[in-house]
Amino acid sequence: MRFKSFAHYIRFAYDNSAAVREKFDDAGLKPGDVQSPGDLPRLPVTRKPDLSKRQQEKPPFGGFLAVPLSSVQRVFASPGPIYDPQGEGEDYWRWGEALTAAGFEAGDIVQNTFSYHLTPAGFMFDSALRSMGCTVIPAGVGNTELQAQIMRDLRVTGYVGVPSFLYSLIKKAEEQGFVSELALRRAWITAERLPEELRALLREKYGVKVFQGYGTADTGCVAFECLEAKGLHPGRGVVVEIVDPQTGEPVPDGETGEIVITLMVKTYPLLRLASGDLSAFAPEPCPCGRPGKRLAGVLGRAAAGVKVRGLFLYPHQVSELAGEFREIRALRAVVTQQDFKDELTLEAELHLEAEESLELTRAVATRAKDLLRLKARVVVVPPRTIDNTLIVDKR
Ligand SMILES: [Zn+2]
């Protein structure tokens, strides 16, 4: 469902969705005040817990639904609970664009391993693939042995699901001695982090090219990789913003912030839905020629971040910093306050064979300044001091 312009979308959403109207009223704005995506920060974000609460108060969709309930084809329930409508159209969630960009095409036989009940992922990819002329095996979750056999028997060429299950299926085929009989050439994954080592292993050892994308149960496709597989292109029908999770204001390109999604569809015009996921805009053009900025993947959850001297610090940044030093086994950021000023200490636990040195702690502090943009004191702590918590806020 396309709108002639962003302004037309806003007008439609305002006229047809009580929740959108309320959002404008709360901000003291009229539809004419939001004429382009650049005006969106004038409106408040909607967080997922708010959406859930609104839905409890005004069932089933909290006033966001902009079409009669009779044109909703399915309703899904995601954790929260949050209820999500499926509107009309053969690829309602618009994943066809993402799968096409990854090279899926008519004639592919695709094993769809997302769940088909309650949560929408199974139907999302099922409808997208069928709209492209692919044949779908609605495999769902689990049954590794049977699914590996199906993959062989039906000459499956494509996989859709999470990367860990793809790897389990291939390992199972290997264990049973028929991995060389698989026709699998392409995989599309989402909803779980894709380690680059796994991507390389699947390509080099098993001949499976893996691509990924990002979306939510509420909005469907948000962004996806092209064949270059370097960053995610925002999909059509959505406006993506990267904002400061506390203020809702956009952050500069390259800086980490929360992904906020505006869904430009008639059924469910969610306006500035805060996803809780983090990313950053990579502004440089992609070699594939698609216009616009790309998202630098999904970098963690917004709720896990803490603000230190006005800057957000996220667990993934701490582990990234640790990963640059082979002497470091674990690194933990401890935030304290001294005379009302935030202090950041990085506690480093070294590998047993590594030597503590002034050079090392200085090097870590220097890199912390580059990567975290924060001045930090670096101390070495005894082995087995640090558990899985990467940030400790003692303020
Ligand atoms: Zn591209």
Side-chain angles (χ1 to χ4, degrees):
M1 203 64 67
R2 308 291 290 271
F3 292 93
K4 262 194 281 177
S5 66
F6 186 79
H8 277 95
Y9 156 69
I10 290 292
R11 186 76 237 182
F12 174 87
Y14 183 88
D15 287 345
N16 293 282
S17 155
V20 167
R21 229 164 18 248
E22 247 175 67
K23 243 178 151 158
F24 273 87
D25 292 348
D26 288 351
L29 297 174
K30 292 285 173 211
D33 297 323
V34 181
Q35 290 288 300
S36 74
D39 296 328
L40 282 172
R42 301 184 69 181
L43 293 161
V45 299
T46 299
R47 306 212 149 266
K48 290 218 180 186
D50 304 334
L51 183 58
S52 175
K53 194 166 152 263
R54 284 194 70 102
Q55 290 187 341
Q56 296 297 327
E57 288 162 6
K58 290 182 186 154
F61 301 114
F64 275 105
L65 195 72
V67 295
L69 192 58
S70 58
S71 69
V72 171
Q73 305 200 331
R74 292 189 180 96
V75 179
F76 296 91
S78 299
I82 290 181
Y83 298 106
D84 294 310
Q86 176 188 350
E88 289 169 334
E90 65 169 357
D91 178 16
Y92 172 71
W93 294 281
R94 312 167 320 281
W95 285 110
E97 187 186 15
L99 294 160
T100 303
F104 283 77
E105 58 189 10
D108 274 326
I109 302 175
V110 184
Q111 198 154 334
N112 179 10
T113 66
F114 280 117
S115 169
Y116 276 73
H117 69 266
L118 290 180
T119 54
F123 281 106
M124 280 184 173
F125 296 101
D126 195 290
S127 54
L129 289 161
R130 288 187 300 112
S131 78
M132 296 160 62
C134 299
T135 301
V136 182
I137 301 157
V141 178
N143 301 309
T144 312
E145 198 163 330
L146 176 61
Q147 288 221 31
Q149 192 192 331
I150 290 169
M151 193 171 258
R152 177 192 62 179
D153 293 351
L154 299 182
R155 306 279 180 276
V156 167
T157 57
Y159 168 94
V160 171
V162 294
S164 56
F165 190 58
L166 171 62
Y167 192 53
S168 302
L169 288 181
I170 288 178
K171 293 307 278 183
K172 181 57 78 179
E174 195 159 54
E175 193 185 301
Q176 312 237 316
F178 60 76
V179 75
S180 61
E181 293 170 49
L182 297 183
L184 189 68
R185 290 293 165 263
R186 209 167 284 282
W188 199 89
I189 68 101
T190 190
E192 194 180 277
R193 198 179 80 83
L194 170 65
E196 285 302 324
E197 313 86 87
L198 178 60
R199 169 144 52 187
L201 176 75
L202 289 166
R203 187 183 56 235
E204 282 151 26
K205 188 165 176 203
Y206 303 102
V208 183
K209 287 182 182 150
V210 185
F211 299 92
Q212 61 186 333
Y214 171 74
T216 75
D218 327 85
T219 60
C221 178
V222 173
F224 55 86
E225 283 180 344
C226 61
L227 295 177
E228 301 287 333
K230 289 192 184 91
L232 312 174
H233 291 283
R236 65 181 143 75
V238 290
V239 176
V240 182
E241 299 171 80
I242 304 290
V243 308
D244 179 321
Q246 282 186 350
T247 64
E249 287 294 320
V251 299
D253 288 347
E255 224 170 83
T256 301
E258 185 173 10
I259 302 171
V260 168
I261 305 155
T262 294
L263 184 61
M264 292 172 61
V265 303
K266 281 195 168 160
T267 302
Y268 201 44
L270 290 170
L271 200 58
R272 301 203 86 206
L273 179 73
S275 66
D277 295 313
L278 298 171
S279 190
F281 270 130
E284 61 278 4
C286 182
C288 78
R290 283 180 177 79
K293 303 176 204 174
R294 278 167 295 164
L295 294 175
V298 176
L299 307 171
R301 291 289 296 168
V306 298
K307 229 168 186 178
V308 185
R309 282 176 236 136
L311 286 172
F312 271 101
L313 176 67
Y314 297 108
H316 76 272
Q317 294 175 302
V318 179
S319 48
E320 198 181 316
L321 176 63
E324 290 196 2
F325 296 90
R326 59 188 163 72
E327 298 89 342
I328 295 179
R329 194 200 69 79
L331 191 68
R332 174 165 74 185
V334 181
V335 188
T336 50
Q337 226 172 29
Q338 191 81 42
D339 299 326
F340 307 107
K341 264 174 65 187
D342 296 338
E343 302 269 335
L344 176 64
T345 305
L346 291 168
E347 297 181 343
E349 194 183 306
L350 304 185
H351 286 292
L352 290 176
E353 66 276 15
E355 292 262 347
E356 182 180 342
S357 70
L358 195 59
E359 268 170 359
L360 176 66
T361 49
R362 272 188 189 152
V364 175
T366 306
R367 280 304 284 155
K369 230 176 156 182
D370 295 337
L371 279 179
L372 319 177
R373 294 181 304 130
L374 285 166
K375 215 175 112 208
R377 195 166 67 94
V378 181
V379 298
V380 173
V381 295
R384 286 180 292 279
T385 313
I386 299 177
D387 56 15
N388 292 325
T389 315
L390 297 180
I391 299 178
V392 180
D393 193 348
K394 292 188 173 168
R395 289 169 295 184

